[in-house]
Amino acid sequence: MSLNTAHADHGVLIHAGECIILFSDNVVVEFYGNETPEFKGSKNGRMYLTTHRMIYNSKNNADAMRSFSFPFIALQDVTVEQPMFSANFIKGKVRAQPNGNFIGEVKFKLTFKSGGAIEFGQAMLKAAHLASRHAAPDAPPPPYTPPSGPWYAAPPPAYAPPPQGYYGWIPPYSAFPDQPAPNSVFVSTSPPPYPGVAGAGYPAAAGFSGADAKAAEAAQSAYYDPNKPQTAYVPPPYSDQPPTYQESTSKKDN
Protein backbone atom coordinates (compact mmCIF):
# COMPACT_ATOMS: atom_id res chain seq x y z
CA MET A 1 0.00 0.00 0.00
CA SER A 2 2.87 2.40 0.66
CA LEU A 3 6.47 2.27 -0.48
CA ASN A 4 9.44 3.53 1.54
CA THR A 5 7.39 4.98 4.40
CA ALA A 6 8.03 2.44 7.18
CA HIS A 7 11.74 2.72 7.95
CA ALA A 8 14.01 5.11 9.84
CA ASP A 9 17.65 4.98 10.91
CA HIS A 10 18.20 1.48 9.50
CA GLY A 11 15.20 0.15 11.40
CA VAL A 12 11.44 -0.17 11.21
CA LEU A 13 9.14 2.81 11.85
CA ILE A 14 5.76 2.11 13.44
CA HIS A 15 2.93 4.29 14.71
CA ALA A 16 2.20 5.21 18.29
CA GLY A 17 0.05 2.44 19.75
CA GLU A 18 1.07 -0.09 17.08
CA CYS A 19 2.57 -3.34 18.41
CA ILE A 20 4.80 -5.89 16.72
CA ILE A 21 3.13 -9.29 17.01
CA LEU A 22 5.62 -11.46 15.10
CA PHE A 23 9.07 -10.86 13.59
CA SER A 24 10.98 -12.92 11.00
CA ASP A 25 14.56 -12.01 10.12
CA ASN A 26 15.00 -13.99 6.88
CA VAL A 27 12.28 -13.40 4.30
CA VAL A 28 12.48 -13.14 0.51
CA VAL A 29 9.91 -10.84 -1.11
CA GLU A 30 9.06 -10.84 -4.81
CA PHE A 31 6.65 -8.43 -6.53
CA TYR A 32 4.77 -8.88 -9.80
CA GLY A 33 2.41 -6.97 -12.07
CA ASN A 34 3.63 -3.44 -11.49
CA GLU A 35 6.34 -1.65 -13.46
CA THR A 36 7.45 0.63 -10.64
CA PRO A 37 11.27 0.28 -10.63
CA GLU A 38 11.49 -0.35 -6.89
CA PHE A 39 9.55 -3.61 -7.30
CA LYS A 40 12.10 -5.26 -9.59
CA GLY A 41 14.10 -8.25 -8.40
CA SER A 42 13.98 -10.55 -5.36
CA LYS A 43 14.47 -8.79 -2.06
CA ASN A 44 15.82 -10.15 1.19
CA GLY A 45 14.95 -8.63 4.50
CA ARG A 46 12.85 -8.67 7.63
CA MET A 47 9.10 -9.06 7.97
CA TYR A 48 7.08 -7.66 10.83
CA LEU A 49 3.47 -8.54 11.60
CA THR A 50 1.95 -5.73 13.63
CA THR A 51 -1.47 -5.05 15.05
CA HIS A 52 -2.29 -3.02 11.91
CA ARG A 53 -0.27 -4.38 8.97
CA MET A 54 2.71 -6.30 7.67
CA ILE A 55 5.94 -4.37 7.17
CA TYR A 56 8.92 -5.37 5.05
CA ASN A 57 12.33 -3.82 5.77
CA SER A 58 15.26 -4.45 3.44
CA LYS A 59 18.60 -5.66 4.74
CA ASN A 60 20.30 -3.89 1.82
CA ASN A 61 20.53 -0.17 2.49
CA ALA A 62 21.38 0.39 -1.18
CA ASP A 63 18.12 -1.18 -2.39
CA ALA A 64 15.68 1.28 -3.91
CA MET A 65 12.98 -0.37 -1.76
CA ARG A 66 13.94 0.22 1.83
CA SER A 67 10.52 -0.64 3.23
CA PHE A 68 7.02 -1.61 2.20
CA SER A 69 3.82 -1.40 4.23
CA PHE A 70 0.97 -3.92 3.78
CA PRO A 71 -2.00 -2.58 5.81
CA PHE A 72 -4.66 -5.21 6.41
CA ILE A 73 -7.27 -2.94 4.82
CA ALA A 74 -5.38 -2.89 1.50
CA LEU A 75 -4.77 -6.66 1.13
CA GLN A 76 -6.68 -8.92 -1.25
CA ASP A 77 -6.60 -12.57 -2.37
CA VAL A 78 -4.11 -13.66 0.29
CA THR A 79 -3.36 -17.39 0.42
CA VAL A 80 -0.85 -19.60 2.19
CA GLU A 81 0.63 -22.02 -0.35
CA GLN A 82 2.16 -25.42 0.48
CA PRO A 83 3.85 -26.74 -2.69
CA MET A 84 5.06 -30.32 -2.75
CA PHE A 85 8.71 -29.74 -3.68
CA SER A 86 9.54 -26.21 -2.56
CA ALA A 87 9.21 -23.96 0.46
CA ASN A 88 5.83 -22.79 1.69
CA PHE A 89 4.99 -19.19 0.88
CA ILE A 90 2.36 -16.49 1.22
CA LYS A 91 0.98 -14.72 -1.83
CA GLY A 92 -1.59 -12.03 -2.47
CA LYS A 93 -1.96 -8.52 -3.78
CA VAL A 94 -2.05 -5.10 -2.23
CA ARG A 95 -3.61 -1.94 -3.61
CA ALA A 96 -1.81 1.39 -3.75
CA GLN A 97 -3.37 4.41 -2.12
CA PRO A 98 -2.86 8.11 -2.86
CA ASN A 99 0.63 9.35 -1.96
CA GLY A 100 1.82 5.78 -1.40
CA ASN A 101 4.70 6.15 -3.90
CA PHE A 102 3.24 3.73 -6.44
CA ILE A 103 0.06 3.48 -8.51
CA GLY A 104 -2.45 0.68 -9.00
CA GLU A 105 -1.82 -2.63 -7.28
CA VAL A 106 1.00 -5.13 -7.00
CA LYS A 107 1.09 -8.88 -6.40
CA PHE A 108 3.53 -10.27 -3.88
CA LYS A 109 5.10 -13.54 -2.76
CA LEU A 110 6.71 -14.00 0.67
CA THR A 111 9.08 -16.92 1.24
CA PHE A 112 10.30 -17.52 4.78
CA LYS A 113 13.80 -18.95 4.40
CA SER A 114 13.96 -20.01 8.05
CA GLY A 115 10.45 -21.50 8.00
CA GLY A 116 7.22 -20.28 9.52
CA ALA A 117 5.22 -19.25 6.45
CA ILE A 118 2.14 -21.18 7.58
CA GLU A 119 2.17 -19.78 11.11
CA PHE A 120 2.92 -16.25 9.95
CA GLY A 121 0.24 -16.35 7.26
CA GLN A 122 -2.44 -17.70 9.57
CA ALA A 123 -1.56 -15.13 12.24
CA MET A 124 -1.70 -12.30 9.71
CA LEU A 125 -5.11 -13.39 8.48
CA LYS A 126 -6.49 -13.66 12.02
CA ALA A 127 -5.15 -10.22 12.90
CA ALA A 128 -6.65 -8.81 9.70
CA HIS A 129 -10.04 -10.25 10.59
CA LEU A 130 -9.96 -8.80 14.09
CA ALA A 131 -9.02 -5.41 12.63
CA SER A 132 -11.89 -5.58 10.13
CA ARG A 133 -14.41 -5.62 13.01
CA HIS A 134 -13.50 -2.01 13.76
CA ALA A 135 -14.21 -0.57 10.30
CA ALA A 136 -17.70 -0.20 8.82
CA PRO A 137 -17.71 -1.73 5.31
CA ASP A 138 -19.10 1.38 3.64
CA ALA A 139 -17.63 4.05 5.90
CA PRO A 140 -14.99 6.42 4.51
CA PRO A 141 -11.50 5.84 5.86
CA PRO A 142 -10.20 8.00 8.69
CA PRO A 143 -8.09 10.94 7.54
CA TYR A 144 -4.36 10.30 7.43
CA THR A 145 -1.64 12.84 8.06
CA PRO A 146 2.14 12.33 8.11
CA PRO A 147 3.78 12.08 11.54
CA SER A 148 3.37 15.42 13.26
CA GLY A 149 6.43 15.06 15.46
CA PRO A 150 9.77 13.27 15.61
CA TRP A 151 10.17 9.55 16.07
CA TYR A 152 12.29 7.87 18.69
CA ALA A 153 13.97 4.54 19.42
CA ALA A 154 11.60 2.58 21.62
CA PRO A 155 12.40 -0.01 24.30
CA PRO A 156 10.74 -3.41 23.75
CA PRO A 157 7.84 -2.83 26.18
CA ALA A 158 6.68 0.04 23.96
CA TYR A 159 5.97 -2.24 21.02
CA ALA A 160 5.71 -5.78 22.44
CA PRO A 161 2.32 -7.52 22.17
CA PRO A 162 0.51 -8.67 25.32
CA PRO A 163 1.40 -12.27 26.24
CA GLN A 164 -2.28 -13.08 26.78
CA GLY A 165 -3.02 -12.23 23.16
CA TYR A 166 -5.99 -10.43 21.69
CA TYR A 167 -9.68 -11.23 22.19
CA GLY A 168 -8.95 -14.84 23.06
CA TRP A 169 -6.47 -15.33 20.20
CA ILE A 170 -2.87 -16.01 21.22
CA PRO A 171 -0.45 -15.54 18.28
CA PRO A 172 2.16 -18.27 17.65
CA TYR A 173 4.91 -16.52 19.56
CA SER A 174 6.89 -19.73 20.02
CA ALA A 175 7.27 -20.18 16.25
CA PHE A 176 9.08 -16.83 16.04
CA PRO A 177 11.37 -16.57 19.08
CA ASP A 178 13.64 -13.91 17.54
CA GLN A 179 13.12 -10.29 18.46
CA PRO A 180 14.09 -7.13 16.56
CA ALA A 181 17.63 -5.99 17.28
CA PRO A 182 18.14 -3.32 19.95
CA ASN A 183 17.68 0.22 18.66
CA SER A 184 16.04 -1.02 15.45
CA VAL A 185 12.41 -0.15 16.26
CA PHE A 186 11.35 3.47 15.99
CA VAL A 187 7.96 4.87 16.99
CA SER A 188 6.35 8.04 15.72
CA THR A 189 4.10 10.20 17.84
CA SER A 190 1.16 9.80 15.45
CA PRO A 191 -1.45 7.03 15.80
CA PRO A 192 -2.16 4.61 12.94
CA PRO A 193 -4.47 5.99 10.23
CA TYR A 194 -6.44 2.72 10.08
CA PRO A 195 -7.86 0.43 12.79
CA GLY A 196 -5.93 -2.48 14.22
CA VAL A 197 -6.84 -5.65 16.06
CA ALA A 198 -7.95 -3.65 19.11
CA GLY A 199 -9.70 -0.87 17.18
CA ALA A 200 -8.72 2.77 17.20
CA GLY A 201 -8.59 3.16 20.97
CA TYR A 202 -6.06 0.37 21.69
CA PRO A 203 -7.82 -1.15 24.70
CA ALA A 204 -5.99 -3.69 26.80
CA ALA A 205 -6.16 -7.26 25.57
CA ALA A 206 -8.06 -8.41 28.66
CA GLY A 207 -11.39 -7.34 30.11
CA PHE A 208 -13.61 -7.50 27.06
CA SER A 209 -17.35 -7.07 26.94
CA GLY A 210 -19.67 -9.98 26.24
CA ALA A 211 -20.12 -8.72 22.69
CA ASP A 212 -16.36 -8.66 22.20
CA ALA A 213 -16.06 -12.20 23.52
CA LYS A 214 -18.70 -13.46 21.11
CA ALA A 215 -17.03 -11.65 18.24
CA ALA A 216 -13.67 -13.08 19.20
CA GLU A 217 -15.12 -16.58 19.31
CA ALA A 218 -16.56 -16.10 15.84
CA ALA A 219 -13.23 -14.76 14.62
CA GLN A 220 -11.48 -18.01 15.45
CA SER A 221 -13.39 -19.87 12.71
CA ALA A 222 -13.92 -17.06 10.23
CA TYR A 223 -10.77 -17.47 8.18
CA TYR A 224 -10.70 -20.82 6.54
CA ASP A 225 -12.81 -22.96 4.29
CA PRO A 226 -12.40 -26.49 5.71
CA ASN A 227 -12.27 -27.79 2.15
CA LYS A 228 -9.47 -25.33 1.29
CA PRO A 229 -7.28 -25.10 4.39
CA GLN A 230 -4.52 -23.38 2.47
CA THR A 231 -6.76 -20.45 1.56
CA ALA A 232 -8.01 -17.61 3.71
CA TYR A 233 -9.66 -14.29 3.13
CA VAL A 234 -9.12 -10.76 4.31
CA PRO A 235 -11.61 -7.89 4.29
CA PRO A 236 -11.92 -5.71 1.18
CA PRO A 237 -9.68 -2.65 1.10
CA TYR A 238 -10.68 0.94 1.62
CA SER A 239 -8.75 4.08 0.76
CA ASP A 240 -6.37 6.00 2.97
CA GLN A 241 -3.52 8.40 2.36
CA PRO A 242 -0.07 7.30 3.55
CA PRO A 243 2.77 9.85 3.66
CA THR A 244 5.16 10.21 0.77
CA TYR A 245 8.73 9.06 1.26
CA GLN A 246 9.89 12.69 1.15
CA GLU A 247 7.42 13.68 3.86
CA SER A 248 8.44 10.73 5.99
CA THR A 249 12.20 11.31 5.76
CA SER A 250 11.93 15.08 6.18
CA LYS A 251 10.84 14.52 9.79
CA LYS A 252 14.10 12.76 10.53
CA ASP A 253 16.24 15.33 8.70
CA ASN A 254 14.68 18.18 10.64
Side-chain angles (χ1 to χ4, degrees):
M1 183 275 290
S2 60
L3 171 65
N4 285 336
T5 61
H7 68 277
D9 295 331
H10 308 295
V12 66
L13 177 64
I14 61 177
H15 298 286
E18 184 176 12
C19 293
I20 297 173
I21 299 175
L22 299 176
F23 166 74
S24 182
D25 191 51
N26 190 13
V27 178
V28 173
V29 183
E30 299 169 272
F31 293 96
Y32 308 91
N34 191 298
E35 297 302 316
T36 302
E38 286 86 348
F39 290 134
K40 294 182 178 179
S42 296
K43 304 174 184 302
N44 182 261
R46 303 174 176 91
M47 188 64 65
Y48 305 79
L49 175 65
T50 81
T51 46
H52 295 73
R53 53 183 167 162
M54 294 189 298
I55 301 173
Y56 165 77
N57 265 199
S58 176
K59 289 185 176 181
N60 180 5
N61 292 332
D63 195 334
M65 178 183 286
R66 294 287 307 282
S67 66
F68 193 81
S69 176
F70 305 74
F72 300 145
I73 59 172
L75 292 171
Q76 291 181 306
D77 303 334
V78 178
T79 62
V80 181
E81 300 292 328
Q82 303 178 63
M84 185 72 68
F85 299 109
S86 59
N88 299 332
F89 62 91
I90 301 168
K91 71 175 184 178
K93 65 181 179 181
V94 60
R95 293 178 58 187
Q97 304 301 328
N99 301 324
N101 293 326
F102 77 102
I103 297 172
E105 64 184 29
V106 65
K107 297 178 181 179
F108 63 87
K109 176 182 177 182
L110 311 177
T111 304
F112 291 70
K113 304 301 287 185
S114 299
I118 302 299
E119 293 85 353
F120 195 99
Q122 291 176 346
M124 182 271 292
L125 291 160
K126 288 189 176 183
H129 180 80
L130 290 175
S132 74
R133 296 171 48 232
H134 303 286
D138 299 323
Y144 181 84
T145 57
S148 58
W151 47 73
Y152 58 92
Y159 58 83
Q164 69 269 35
Y166 300 91
Y167 297 94
W169 168 57
I170 300 178
Y173 299 133
S174 61
F176 297 92
D178 294 339
Q179 297 295 318
N183 300 315
S184 71
V185 177
F186 299 85
V187 181
S188 77
T189 57
S190 299
Y194 27 71
V197 297
Y202 316 110
F208 313 117
S209 68
D212 282 334
K214 289 183 178 296
E217 182 180 358
Q220 301 304 307
S221 60
Y223 291 91
Y224 306 104
D225 179 345
N227 298 316
K228 297 179 180 179
Q230 80 282 7
T231 303
Y233 304 93
V234 294
Y238 62 78
S239 300
D240 68 287
Q241 296 183 351
T244 65
Y245 178 52
Q246 290 77 17
E247 290 172 332
S248 177
T249 55
S250 67
K251 297 297 180 181
K252 174 179 178 295
D253 295 337
N254 293 334

